Amino acid sequence: MTDHLVQATAADATVRALAAVTTDLVDEACRRHGTWPTASAALGRTLTGALLLGRTFKDLERLTLRFQCEGSIGGITAEASAHGTVRGYVRNPEADVPLNSHSKLDVSGVVGNGMLHVIREAGIDIGLSREPYTASVPIVSGEIGEDLAHYLAVSEQINSAVSLGVFVEPEQGRITAAGGFVVQLMPGAEPRTVDAVERWTAAAPHVTQMIRQGADAAGILQQALGEIPIELLEKRPVEFRCTCSYDRALHIVSCLGREEVQDMLEKDHGAVLTCHFCSAVYTLGEAALEELLSPPPPVLM
Ligand code: ZN
């Protein structure tokens, strides 16, 4: 099953629901960064959360979740675009602790206390660079899903159930199930709808369990909302994709200034840049640096 995300409504649009299957993209991110099991779960939940949350805001072009953590993972960043792509990384990929008392990966054990920053950007594609909107809330549980629900309640005044899960194969460390759902109660939801949503979402099986049993994103929503009928609005593919490139690496080096480039050329005979978001390595040789130092051709008026 390829990674995908669905959006749906229920109870006369007073309930908004989204779900995603993100197994492949989480596996790719974890392989790229060489994360250990607990860090894999933390990164995978954050990537999935960014994709889901990104779709809940209208006209949004980029949503970034940044967990600033006091735990051994140090920090988690995920950036999702409106086009269904996501990229991200953790500060310490080797953060790992023993399983918790429920025999589950102890994500809060590596996250610890700290802050969650949510950055929303719009208008990039049409050339309007509006100021990004940033909201910050303290980390309340460190399990990621509960932290996103807390952010939505406090900063957006939207009561939401957020469930995110990553299944890491115990032996080989590969990700064989990842995904999540967000169910939101909109203004005007009737008390019986609120009751039903709370009851069903609380009783829903774990997301990775549903995925391992073959559920797609629509199936996850169906199980999360139990007997509440849902109306599917949209299904779209999602994937891990970074925006870095050799040209960007060149641009970054050129922004360092002539002296710095000269220095790199003389001391290191080149430059090596690694992208935080995807671990891609860009090697700029002597010729590339020399070209940056050569004067631009004259402009003919
Ligand atoms: Zn990259």
Side-chain angles (χ1 to χ4, degrees):
M1 189 186 341
T2 51
D3 291 347
H4 62 284
L5 183 150
V6 295
Q7 268 184 280
T9 60
D12 292 327
T14 59
V15 173
R16 179 160 62 181
L18 303 97
V21 174
T22 56
T23 310
D24 292 346
L25 71 89
V26 171
D27 191 48
E28 178 174 351
C30 294
R31 271 188 291 118
R32 281 176 176 273
H33 296 299
T35 45
W36 292 25
T38 319
S40 295
L43 176 60
R45 289 184 195 178
T46 310
L47 290 167
T48 306
L51 279 168
L52 289 168
L53 232 60
R55 290 307 293 164
T56 66
F57 296 105
K58 229 180 135 209
D59 302 329
L60 189 82
E61 273 159 39
R62 191 156 59 204
L63 179 121
T64 305
L65 299 179
R66 204 157 62 79
F67 284 89
Q68 219 174 343
C69 318
E70 289 169 17
S72 59
I73 202 161
I76 317 164
T77 302
E79 186 191 281
S81 79
H83 313 292
T85 64
V86 68
R87 59 180 191 160
Y89 64 94
V90 297
R91 187 133 353 130
N92 174 18
E94 295 181 4
D96 201 29
V97 290
L99 298 180
N100 64 20
S101 54
H102 306 287
S103 300
K104 290 257 170 23
L105 290 168
D106 188 6
V107 172
S108 63
V110 295
V111 170
N113 294 323
M115 293 297 288
L116 162 62
H117 307 285
V118 181
I119 302 131
R120 284 154 46 189
E121 293 166 86
I124 309 160
D125 276 3
I126 49 169
L128 290 169
S129 50
R130 262 181 269 162
E131 273 292 292
Y133 172 82
T134 306
S136 302
V137 292
I139 293 172
V140 287
S141 89
E143 291 290 331
I144 313 297
E146 287 167 37
D147 296 298
L148 297 185
H150 176 251
Y151 154 77
L152 287 166
V154 171
S155 286
E156 310 291 339
Q157 283 80 48
I158 304 172
N159 282 329
S160 315
V162 181
S163 177
L164 304 168
V166 173
F167 187 83
V168 185
E169 284 295 333
E171 292 297 314
Q172 13 135 338
R174 292 211 54 169
I175 311 304
T176 48
F181 68 79
V182 174
V183 178
Q184 301 188 316
L185 291 159
M186 309 315 287
E190 287 182 31
R192 62 188 169 92
T193 305
V194 176
D195 274 0
V197 166
E198 283 174 356
R199 202 157 21 88
W200 284 111
T201 55
H206 198 266
V207 174
T208 53
Q209 188 188 328
M210 297 191 232
I211 296 170
R212 293 174 79 206
Q213 285 170 350
D216 60 3
I220 291 172
L221 279 189
Q222 210 80 61
Q223 290 184 66
L225 286 168
E227 287 170 11
I228 305 170
I230 59 169
E231 186 192 341
L232 286 174
L233 302 175
E234 181 199 78
K235 179 180 174 181
R236 56 158 57 209
V238 288
E239 63 174 337
F240 183 94
R241 196 195 295 165
C242 195
T243 53
C244 67
S245 66
Y246 179 82
D247 284 348
R248 280 197 181 212
L250 213 52
H251 179 71
I252 290 167
V253 172
S254 74
C255 290
L256 297 173
R258 291 185 69 83
E259 247 172 69
E260 190 77 17
V261 176
Q262 193 79 52
D263 206 44
M264 283 174 166
L265 196 56
E266 281 161 19
K267 285 191 185 146
D268 309 319
H269 307 288
V272 178
L273 279 82
T274 304
C275 175
H276 276 313
F277 279 99
C278 71
S279 290
V281 178
Y282 296 97
T283 308
L284 311 185
E286 285 188 51
L289 295 188
E290 273 161 8
E291 206 180 313
L292 288 181
L293 290 172
S294 63
V299 180
L300 295 173
M301 300 297 280

